[in-house]
Amino acid sequence: MTADHDDREPDFARAAEALKWATKVAVLTGAGVSAESGVPTFRASDGLWEGHRIEDVATPMGFEANPELVWRFYNGRRVNVAKVNPNPGHHALVKLEQRYGDGFAIATQNVDGLHQRAGSKTVFEVHGSLHRTRCINCEKVEDRGLEDLGNRPLCPHCGGFLRPDIVWFHEPLPEDIWMRAMVAAEECDVFLVVGTSAVVYPAASVIPIAKANGATVVECNLTRTDASHAADVGLYGPSGQTLPKLLAKLS
Ligand code: OAD
């Protein structure tokens, strides 16, 4: 064994082999893909939910009870995301899209917009977007960038109260986007599960859907997760390293 021997080589080779045969590839991403950009994940010991009760900042009831607190939380996230950049994991997914074209789609649970900033084209944001606001009166959805909107922003059109266009707990996923994510999972030959704990449903249900439809499931995460039992191959390590390494094996 040499000093640069990597025990994970056979796993990378298997994943690369599956990708070489694939014509359709779908991806589910979670907070872990943005971790190396400096966006905190949710369930880590220093994660976003630490110090916040989910019910207070990520449910419609929490917003009704204390909209200022909810806006403070999301303004903080908006301002943080404005300061960071996509990392090599995001860029590797852009390259994969260039390889598979229309046969490639990302379903992301992330609301940070970093896939699009990296250059990914087909991105289904199943949990909404930090960039967007939605008026609770006229329901107009708008891209408001990432600046701090203040603690009680109002709709510039009707004067109603704005909320972040984020899917909160107890709310349904946007139907059209979710349908497209499910179709991509059903039709793909390879399904990559990147940087998600895979504990939040229905988003995580695309993993068994892909598996049941015959896809090779490849998990890219720091550790094993709830998705690992469905994975045919696990590439464990930071996705900013594992995804570029996988990509390099395709050329
Ligand atoms: P979590 O915080 O639950 O999980 C992040 C995952 O990323 C964990 O499995 C980590 O091991 C992994 N991870 C961390 N750093 C990584 C790295 N550099 N490379 C690869 N993997 C890494 O975040 P999500 O699974 O995205 O929903 O959470 C799902 C949903 O729960 C979120 O969309 C959010 C949250 O509640 C809403 O807000 C509606």
Side-chain angles (χ1 to χ4, degrees), residues 164-245:
D165 190 32
I166 303 276
V167 178
W168 285 326
F169 290 92
H170 307 298
E171 294 184 320
L173 304 192
E175 202 177 310
D176 178 45
I177 287 167
W178 177 234
M179 282 304 295
R180 285 194 272 169
M182 283 200 295
V183 169
E186 271 165 24
E187 292 183 346
C188 68
D189 306 304
V190 175
F191 191 72
L192 301 176
V193 184
V194 185
T196 177
S197 56
V199 295
V200 173
Y201 283 81
S205 61
V206 286
I207 303 163
I209 288 173
K211 178 86 173 170
N213 283 277
T216 300
V217 176
V218 179
E219 174 169 62
C220 303
N221 200 302
L222 291 181
T223 60
R224 289 177 63 82
T225 69
D226 278 24
S228 303
H229 67 278
D232 298 286
V233 188
L235 304 178
Y236 296 108
S239 52
Q241 294 173 23
T242 55
L243 287 174
K245 179 168 173 170

Side-chain angles (χ1 to χ4, degrees), residues 68-130:
E68 287 83 5
L69 169 74
V70 174
W71 266 112
R72 265 202 304 282
F73 177 71
Y74 285 98
N75 278 325
R77 291 182 65 189
R78 289 160 66 86
V79 167
N80 181 43
V81 164
K83 288 191 245 165
V84 305
N85 290 305
N87 67 60
H90 296 107
H91 292 301
L93 292 175
V94 176
K95 297 255 171 55
L96 272 186
E97 182 166 35
Q98 287 161 0
R99 182 181 176 111
Y100 297 100
D102 291 343
F104 186 88
I106 297 173
T108 187
Q109 300 164 89
N110 299 344
V111 294
D112 56 30
L114 288 179
H115 286 304
Q116 294 92 325
R117 257 162 69 192
S120 289
K121 301 267 183 287
T122 303
V123 182
F124 304 131
E125 293 179 309
V126 299
H127 286 168
S129 169
L130 274 179

